Amino acid sequence: MDSPLPITGSYVTTFGTLRLEARGDKVTGKYTHQDGSVTGTLTGNTIRGTWVQKGNASEGTFVFEFERGANGFRGTWEGGGNGPWNGVRLELAPADRGGFPGGWNSHTEGPLLAGPMIGEVSTQGAYIWTQARCTSPVTLVVATEGGEVRRIVRTPAWNEWLCTVFQVEDLRPGVPYTYWLESTHGKTPARPLPLAPAPDARAVRIAFGSCLCFYHHQELPILDAIERDAPACLAMIGDNTYYYQFDWQSEHTMMLAQLRARNNPSFRRLVSALPTVGVWDDHDFGPNDADNRFSGKDMALRAFRRSWANARFGTNGAAGVFSSVRMGPAELFLLDSRWYRNQPAHTLLGEAQLVWLVESLAKSTAPVKIIASPTQVLADAAVAKGWECFRRDAPQELEGLLGEIEARDIRGVVFVSGDLHMANLFHQEGRDLHGRRGPEWWELTTSPLANDPWMESIAGKDRYLVAEVVDRNNYGLIDVDLDREGSEVLLVCKDEQGRVLFDQPIALPTLAVRR
């Protein structure tokens, strides 16, 4: 007789890997720390029993309290001492055994466990991410006020954690649309479906943020402030969730971590209304400061792609999560500074991504080209402090990128970045190009959205620093208005209430090679 909970399985725990076997209410198991074993009785979702360790001739008692689907447990141990004993399941249990693909704070009713999230949008289409409640078909409905209805049906897969990205195409620019999801479990509320502004639009506003750690805070006012700004899209440029040691052990543990951030109530409200795209940094890729030597990077890529609704991730010839998105008069170039990062080789983007970036910038017809990097680009003080940045980790790639922009006279480039739990504004003057002056370089770093600020000033320690905020959560906006002569580009840093901390107007002609 099997247990009513799918207890049988392997868990990464406080005391190494634990393999449990359940028969009815009787549970046995072995764990790697000190050649340990457990014997216990399951009542409801709780196991109580004894542990024995041959390696140090010790024994005692334990209590494990399991989450739904036995995705993890919180526990304690006693015997010659006491303390916590927690664990996370390494593999998704089968549906017929009571497995549960949902994460922390999943929806308790309706057709979805998580979502919806509006992903990348164009002038005529949109990607929408969902995590369904079960494997029964889910329908995306897109409708107009006039009664025009589009229906797209998808059947979620258990081995994809019931995650599905719907793609709706051939919508009409300028027409107001609403969307909702339906299944045998009901329907979601109808919400507006905003599309991208046309390429010939004269203005656009794009929001940026990084470092979303405090998913467990039920309300995050900073995300409500972003929604009030009504940007055309939000770019999450790294550390969009935080993997801890338990979380980077398997694809299942990574998915649970992705979903707990996605299910924060404030973030859930925001992304159901605002088109959102993302790239990763170290904490949603693997361990702190991980590079391409991380053994779990293939699992991390699958988990990330399954959890976001970008139209593209990398190219046919180059893996990763980089891509570009056109939003009216601006084009957003999202960089992947993890997949190709190799610290001994001093690479961040890798040759293929760097070639893609330069060629894509050169082909872009957008007046403003926003390079969004999870890793700081222009920062100088970061080198001395040992913080990750292009000048420390890939100086040749940085010089190659700036040199190509200058040589090809690629106009309208600005940088945004994240990571450091502080906000910085950097300015590097245009370089001497043998009788001509190169473009001015500007970079806005915004971080953290929801984590502890770094609280350390770099004022006077970085030759390119113009402004900084080190003591509060913050986010960034790039406000483009081609009719705002002399300040066509405005870089803005705001606090969690939406108040301006600093801003910087930039004249678009200065972002080009000049005589």
Side-chain angles (χ1 to χ4, degrees), residues 190-211:
R191 299 173 172 90
L193 178 59
L195 301 180
D200 60 357
R202 303 290 292 172
V204 71
R205 181 182 295 167
I206 299 174
F208 301 88
S210 66
C211 305

Side-chain angles (χ1 to χ4, degrees), residues 167-230:
Q167 182 182 3
V168 56
E169 302 176 291
D170 300 324
L171 301 178
R172 290 181 289 152
V175 174
Y177 288 94
T178 58
Y179 79 100
W180 63 90
L181 285 304
E182 299 176 345
S183 79
T184 57
H185 297 282
K187 61 182 291 187
T188 65
R191 299 173 172 90
L193 178 59
L195 301 180
D200 60 357
R202 303 290 292 172
V204 71
R205 181 182 295 167
I206 299 174
F208 301 88
S210 66
C211 305
L212 182 65
C213 180
F214 296 155
Y215 67 90
H216 51 285
H217 290 189
Q218 289 296 306
E219 296 297 327
L220 295 172
I222 194 167
L223 301 181
D224 299 326
I226 292 173
E227 185 173 7
R228 289 195 299 272
D229 277 326

